Amino acid sequence: MEQLHVSIPTNDGTSDLDLDENLDNLVTPLSSAPITTGTFKEKFVSVYEQLFSGKEPYKNKETFWQELFLLRVNSQFLENCILLTPEAELIKMAKHLQVIFKHCSDFILDQDNLRRTNALQTLCILFKGIFKKKWRNLSISLMTIVSGFQNSDEFFITLIQNTKQAILQQESNIRTKQMALALLVILLTGTENMNQNAIIDYFTLEDVSQCLFYIMELKDASLKMKKNSIICMDILCNYRKYENVNNIYLKSLSSLKKPSTMMSMCEIITKCMYLWNTSFEKSMLTSTGVLNWVVGWFTSSSNHPSSSSPHKPKNLNEISPMLLAMYELIHLNDEFVGTVTRSLATPSLAKIIIVDSQQQSQTKQTPDATTSTRACPVILQEFFKFASILFQDACYGNAQQQQEANVSAQYYSHFCIIILLCLLERKPFRVFMFDVNVHQDFFIFKRQQVNQQQWTTKEYKGTGSVARIIMQLLIDFMVHHLMWFPVDLYKNALTAVHSLLCFGKKYRIRFGVEWRELWRVLISICELIAKDHVRDKVKACFVLEQCLILLNLGVLSGELFLPQRMDHDALLYEVICRAQSFIAVDDWVRRNLKKTNPVNLLMHNINLILKDVGGFVDAEFGLNSNPSLDRVQSALRTCFASSELTKHTHLEQRAEYVENPNEVTFFNHLNRLFVHECRQIVDHSFSTNNK
């Protein structure tokens, strides 16, 4: 499985993917039958058996540690030394263990790269074992075993400094850098609640942002290494984000102006999304939906399918670090969106190299400079593709085996909508988004019908505005999630649609989307509110108000942003056909809201249309005749022109996106999910059963 995970290089030059097969050839671990005196014993095992039994083989032997760190690390055995030793015994031998940790930290800066790598790998395995083991109090036990409370500040700051140097020093080979980065990931993902991880406090004292940026730009670094640097930056940016106003990593990201670093981050995000989308395209266009596809990863992760499988399923955690990084850059950095919409959108960048799962390069063409002044950046193309998948496959089933996939899909759908909201707040993106001369030559995924598992693609060719693509994505989301109606997601989706309509009217852009689907889904949402599908009356009122604002915008100002008169006719037709839904809404409003509530004013025009236009159609064609739109089109236009509708001045008043406090709860849950997935990745990377 091509899976985002911590890169664990081995000493003999093999890649991290081969590490587990090598471990199978090592000596039997502690969890199996004990090794007898007559059994051949690996020297590494023999030494650590002495160390964990309280002996001090390093005494009176000056070269002990130099020789030990030349030995190949038996990861399985070393981790079992932590996991299978009772907590009380580990606390008793704390002084001996502190000696091991101290020398491992010191040898990170040894002149010999093999010793460096082995010292780092030893630390990785020891810390992984500690974080995996159940403790009465993890923080107290960890500090006691690793360094002692009195020396913990000095030890961890020195450890982080040494690890930074191992990454930045030119003398360090790529395997040493890989292992140093793996150690950072393990330390940062020690607890599933990152805000309870005391070790991260030391990263606030010792800034590692520059060494992470260095890895992102390093030509020799693999994509896995660059992913891991993104993971580290994500965690450090979100650590106690709402408590610590002086987060140095948020400041580093917000003040980042170096073009090469920004371009490197864009490239990493783009490649990861490309790989995920390509895997989906290969395995899903003829398959059964993203839910079963994602669940397939969870069920197969225990069985570890063979490498001969042509299109293995990918987990959503492949993309989660990229989404977090993309969001923070858009939200915090004033230069990033400009870089994306200027530098990455220029046709002079004729080629962008994408690396597939076999690390074979493929070339993705952007338009020639003679065809357009701007092109849709590949990073946006891949993000739109990814969002189109989640937006159209609602993963909210109740089956126990699907629960984890459901949670991931729901949170990342919500996150994609938030990213779109952040993009809409950026003026450079709005100017770019409503440029009708942007060249487009890509597709998004399209589900043929709701509740059916057949997928196809919707092509975007030639020139046009990016706004129409975003609007279509949001319409698809609202249509395909209506059965489950996650109200928090709909709140943000409706806010995004409202912003698009307001800005579209301002920039005088008409973009062709499936407008009739939008009118239908807005009325369906109103109907769900009227049927009390939302228990929270405050949220229900907000969603209902947003729907009525959009319907009023379409009725009163549709000629300014709708591409055809037929789209306006379709709105009037849908309102009349769904008259019973609005009667139910009227009843709900009277029962639950005060007369001064803005919803009452917004319902006035709807009721007037039902009375004047609807009454005229009924008189012309008969009650319950259900004539088609083509038959009543002329009557709709004639009657609407004579209707005296109320002009609302507040329809274009929009609230800007604010993360704190509006989305604090969401991000707290998202960060827990993210770290949980990263811990699974770490466990998988060191798994001795994974082949």
Side-chain angles (χ1 to χ4, degrees), residues 225-354:
M225 286 182 66
K226 294 181 178 183
K227 288 178 187 177
N228 292 335
S229 64
I230 294 282
I231 288 175
C232 292
M233 182 60 75
D234 288 339
I235 293 174
L236 292 167
C237 283
N238 285 279
Y239 176 64
R240 295 183 179 174
K241 187 177 185 178
Y242 307 111
E243 303 170 22
N244 182 12
V245 294
N246 297 314
N247 186 313
I248 57 177
Y249 299 97
L250 287 176
K251 290 183 177 180
S252 294
L253 214 56
S254 62
S255 62
L256 180 63
K257 295 183 179 179
K258 188 178 178 183
S260 59
T261 305
M262 280 194 185
M263 296 293 280
S264 296
M265 294 187 75
C266 285
E267 183 183 8
I268 298 166
I269 295 169
T270 303
K271 285 181 178 179
C272 292
M273 288 189 176
Y274 170 82
L275 291 172
W276 203 94
N277 293 334
T278 302
S279 176
F280 178 85
E281 181 182 5
K282 290 177 179 178
S283 60
M284 285 306 302
L285 288 179
T286 57
S287 190
T288 57
V290 70
L291 176 58
N292 293 333
W293 183 60
V294 172
V295 171
W297 184 89
F298 289 103
T299 56
S300 65
S301 61
S302 58
N303 300 324
H304 307 296
S306 64
S307 59
S308 61
S309 177
H311 308 305
K312 301 172 188 174
K314 284 181 176 292
N315 189 6
L316 286 172
N317 65 22
E318 292 277 348
I319 299 298
S320 54
M322 306 305 117
L323 291 179
L324 277 167
M326 186 176 180
Y327 168 78
E328 296 295 354
L329 285 168
I330 294 169
H331 186 230
L332 297 174
N333 193 291
D334 295 330
E335 302 292 328
F336 178 74
V337 173
T339 299
V340 170
T341 56
R342 288 193 304 269
S343 302
L344 292 179
T346 54
S348 57
L349 293 175
K351 297 179 180 180
I352 292 182
I353 301 299
I354 303 292

Side-chain angles (χ1 to χ4, degrees), residues 503-532:
F503 290 132
K505 182 181 174 184
K506 177 182 177 181
Y507 286 92
R508 298 183 179 181
I509 296 298
R510 303 173 188 271
F511 37 94
V513 295
E514 297 168 2
W515 288 103
R516 194 166 181 178
E517 279 197 355
L518 176 61
W519 310 139
R520 286 173 175 171
V521 76
L522 290 176
I523 298 172
S524 296
I525 294 171
C526 294
E527 188 176 347
L528 289 174
I529 299 294
K531 292 180 179 179
D532 289 321

Side-chain angles (χ1 to χ4, degrees), residues 566-662:
M566 179 68 75
D567 296 318
H568 188 268
D569 297 337
L571 170 56
L572 299 176
Y573 179 76
E574 292 297 332
V575 169
I576 294 169
C577 289
R578 304 281 288 276
Q580 293 301 317
S581 298
F582 288 109
I583 292 174
V585 171
D586 239 353
D587 180 63
W588 186 90
V589 170
R590 284 195 301 269
R591 287 186 289 109
N592 294 280
L593 304 179
K594 296 180 180 179
K595 291 183 178 180
T596 56
N597 193 287
V599 171
N600 285 286
L601 296 175
L602 293 169
M603 280 296 297
H604 175 74
N605 284 338
I606 303 297
N607 290 330
L608 199 61
I609 291 172
L610 292 174
K611 178 183 176 182
D612 294 347
V613 183
F616 180 82
V617 170
D618 288 341
E620 187 77 14
F621 297 92
L623 288 172
N624 303 320
S625 58
N626 296 322
S628 66
L629 175 58
D630 293 335
R631 288 183 62 196
V632 300
Q633 187 173 353
S634 176
L636 287 174
R637 294 180 181 181
T638 301
C639 189
F640 178 77
S642 61
S643 297
E644 296 181 357
L645 300 177
T646 302
K647 302 291 184 182
H648 295 292
T649 57
H650 69 285
L651 293 181
E652 296 179 44
Q653 294 177 1
R654 47 176 296 275
E656 294 185 357
Y657 169 77
V658 179
E659 178 184 327
N660 187 6
N662 294 351

Side-chain angles (χ1 to χ4, degrees), residues 9-13 66 69-71 73 104 107-121 165-180:
T10 56
N11 300 332
D12 56 358
Q66 288 90 334
F69 291 124
L70 287 175
L71 298 177
V73 177
C104 285
F107 271 84
I108 292 175
L109 299 182
D110 192 80
Q111 294 182 352
D112 184 87
N113 271 311
L114 181 58
R115 290 196 183 98
R116 285 184 173 195
T117 305
N118 284 340
L120 285 164
Q121 187 173 356
Q165 290 188 50
I167 292 174
L168 295 172
Q169 283 182 350
Q170 294 184 351
E171 294 80 6
S172 299
N173 59 27
I174 194 66
R175 288 178 290 151
T176 302
K177 296 179 190 292
Q178 283 178 325
M179 195 62 71

